[in-house]
Amino acid sequence: MSRPVVVLGATGSIGSQTIGVAERLGIPIAGLLARRPGEELAAHAMRHPDARVVVTGGTLDEREWLEKTIGRVVGHGSEAVADLAAHPGATVVNGIVGASGLEASLATLDAGNRLALANKESMVAGGALIRRRLEGGGELIPVDSEHSAIHQCLLGEDLANVSRLMLTASGGPFRGWSPDKLATVTPEEALRHPVWDMGRRITIDSATLLNKGLEVIEAHFLFGLGYDRIEVVVHPQSLLHSAVEFVDGSWKGHLGQPDMRIPIQYALTFPGRQPTAVSPFTFAGRTLEFEPVDRATFPGLDLAYGAGRSGGSAPAVLNAADEIAVEAFLQGRIGFTTITSVIAETLAEVPQREIADVADVVAADGEARAVAASLVAGAC
Ligand code: MG
């Protein structure tokens, strides 16, 4: 029997798929958290009458509406979030979008719960803090498909025998485009991802390859390998989800349908496995292609490597600047290629800090947001 599941970000892409997976397997849902107290959260809450419900946003009226609709108390505020993450014996799926997921990740690990991490920003911005908890015996199962793949490739292996991690990237919707053509991209075009069906920010991040950069930093903190031992290759079919090379020249890769329900379910059932609703994978008739990243056209990847190598607050600054720049792009305020220039300039402007606790992350994040917002205003 799997542990009860707490779903943070219950109305997002990962959250809704997690609820679907848990319902199919008959895993009890102990908690639901969303930003907005709307219809979608109400529907989930009514299907799961035993789940505690918490929201982080919305007006008092909206929260009262939700309480009346679902017939129970709705928690609110950061204490309620931490309390939910500490639900005894739970697997906490953190599908919160953005750096605000960090505190929930830390609360989960502090409570001794399993953290099923889809909120890569908390690993990027607060990787050093999470790393410390993991060294103290916390349990984290990554939900990001690449890191789930690597986690599975490393089962039964000694890290000392790993020579490289290879993250695969689909290349996004603009693979093969010239920088000139990229400058005219609209939000609608960028939101059309060729393979994965995901939330808005991550879809734009996939188009700039910044998402892959965040994943490189995430892999660094998750698996404890240096940046020169983490590589990225473009693999348009997204069937090999990532791979590991060992010192003897052997490779292990993880293949399958590009469907987030697989890594989500793995994080819920680990170390066991269960059948899924995903259609069976067949090899015959498939072609797997690999090509190097066009780093000049997509500078987001090297910005992330640079921030990762700088360490300290630089990854948090990278992430915050990206959140601001992507939002501005989605609002039509800046062009597609300006996203990465805003990030580069923010990284250059915000002074480097050490990250000793959450307050340091919050400070770096706030400073980066302010600088990025003024750069966006200047670029409009
Ligand atoms: Mg991914």
Side-chain angles (χ1 to χ4, degrees), residues 221-234:
F221 284 118
L222 272 174
F223 305 111
L225 291 183
Y227 288 97
D228 47 356
R229 290 164 72 198
I230 305 173
E231 290 181 7
V232 175
V233 68
V234 171

Side-chain angles (χ1 to χ4, degrees), residues 120 144-147 196 198 202 211-212 215 218 260:
K120 72 187 65 169
D144 213 350
S145 61
E146 295 78 359
H147 307 83
W196 297 97
M198 307 173 291
I202 186 175
N211 178 58
K212 205 53 54 181
E215 290 179 353
E218 187 185 2
M260 285 309 293

